[in-house]
Amino acid sequence: SSGINAEWPLRPGKIGLILSSDSPYSETFKEITSLAQQAANEELTTNDIEIVNESFDEKYMISSSEAACKLVDKGVIAVISTTDSTSTKSESETLARLHIPMVSVAASDPFLHSSSNSDFIITLSPSDMFQSKAIFGIIRNYEWYEFSILASSDTYGINGVLGLLHLQYLVNSESKYKIKQAQYFNSNEEDIVKHLDILEKSLEHIIVLHCSASDAKLVLKIAEKKGLLNKGYVWIVTDAVVNNVRALLENPDSEGYLSYYDGLIGTVPTHSTITDQYKQFKDVYLNKSNAKYSDLNANTLKAYDAVTLIGTAVDKLKKKKVPTATLR
């Protein structure tokens, strides 16, 4: 990419953090990685871990790859991505060409790893295939023999549908479970209304909604007006919603949710809340001004783990006296 100096000044403990300007959790990620940086510098023999941030905003034509390139110019030796699978794939392929490793806290695309980036990316979230199994397990448990899928037309939505179609095929010998229809929508009100009209006419009452939290907010708002969230309907949402519930709020600074969100079924990767390390961290974090317990979800907590992971790796390299120049 243009603008990258091939002989950029690598800094032994400088870690990049890529944030999306659209995410309501950007400040949370900054706070949590700052705490992780402080802990790493206190607990490890290395004391030069430093987090540097770069945000991107597609609305202003600033791509996540550009944010990655800016971090490279700042001399980072590794990057933590907080973005979705689509952005993470672009970032990782850019960084892999420069032999800079990336740790992703949120990306869950089962096809994220490719021949070009597989040696330089670690994902901390489980693959969407596991989520598909969880959703299908819910459907089978309640014996909902017919259901529909409403998915975004990006890779997240498409892979979600493919995962459920695959599982339906595997249990086809039972001749019970059937996906009545799978629809892909674009992220605009007109297209969403069109697909909800089709769903309404189909008389299906079990719906899997496979999309981002921002898309889900608009879908559910329109569905509520059409009566598709009334008694008798079941909506299952994915971890992209459950891990980003603040995106559902009308006011991002409030803690209250609209009543029609009550009753949604969601899937989410689990994280331990019983360890002493978590309890100590939670107390420190919640003592900060404006901190909220709802900030601590699976993805934001993984950002802390990502800093610890990279910091430990840097510490081991320093103990082995590996020259900074070879970190490329």
Side-chain angles (χ1 to χ4, degrees), residues 1-74:
S1 299
S2 60
I4 295 180
N5 180 358
E7 297 298 326
W8 66 88
L10 289 169
R11 312 282 169 74
K14 184 170 279 192
I15 302 169
L17 179 69
I18 298 180
L19 302 159
S20 169
S21 297
D22 290 335
S23 171
Y25 292 93
S26 289
E27 292 304 315
T28 302
F29 278 119
K30 290 179 185 178
E31 287 283 356
I32 287 178
T33 52
S34 176
L35 289 173
Q37 169 190 305
Q38 180 182 338
N41 286 332
E42 290 174 356
E43 296 169 10
L44 301 173
T45 55
T46 182
N47 59 0
D48 55 4
I49 297 298
E50 177 189 358
I51 307 296
V52 290
N53 308 316
E54 276 296 338
S55 298
F56 71 95
D57 193 332
E58 299 285 3
K59 288 184 294 188
Y60 296 100
M61 303 302 290
I62 302 172
S63 71
S64 59
S65 292
E66 288 179 84
C69 292
K70 290 179 181 179
L71 289 173
V72 171
D73 281 339
K74 292 180 179 180

Side-chain angles (χ1 to χ4, degrees), residues 174-275:
E174 299 179 21
S175 299
K176 291 181 179 179
Y177 300 94
K178 184 178 181 181
I179 299 174
K180 292 287 288 184
Q181 58 179 326
Q183 298 187 73
Y184 300 99
F185 64 85
N186 296 317
S187 301
N188 62 75
E189 185 170 348
E190 182 181 357
D191 199 53
I192 290 171
V193 168
K194 180 181 72 175
H195 289 290
L196 286 176
D197 284 342
I198 296 171
L199 188 63
E200 184 177 18
K201 292 173 184 175
S202 73
L203 303 180
E204 281 303 312
H205 282 216
I206 312 297
I207 303 110
V208 176
L209 181 59
H210 208 294
C211 63
S212 68
S214 57
D215 282 344
K217 179 180 180 180
L218 182 55
V219 169
L220 294 171
K221 184 177 182 178
I222 299 170
E224 192 272 337
K225 291 179 180 177
K226 287 179 166 293
L228 297 176
L229 293 177
N230 291 345
K231 184 177 180 180
Y233 284 92
V234 174
W235 287 74
I236 303 174
V237 297
T238 63
D239 64 339
V241 175
V242 181
N243 269 333
N244 295 280
V245 289
R246 197 184 293 171
L248 301 177
L249 296 169
E250 294 301 306
N251 177 2
D253 294 325
S254 74
E255 286 284 324
Y257 296 90
L258 298 175
S259 59
Y260 58 77
Y261 292 132
D262 294 342
L264 294 176
I265 298 174
T267 61
V268 65
T270 59
H271 58 275
S272 176
T273 58
I274 61 173
T275 64

Side-chain angles (χ1 to χ4, degrees), residues 112 115-116 154 162 169 243 270 295-296 313:
L112 182 65
S115 58
S116 62
D154 55 13
L162 291 175
Y169 171 77
N243 269 333
T270 59
D295 294 341
L296 304 180

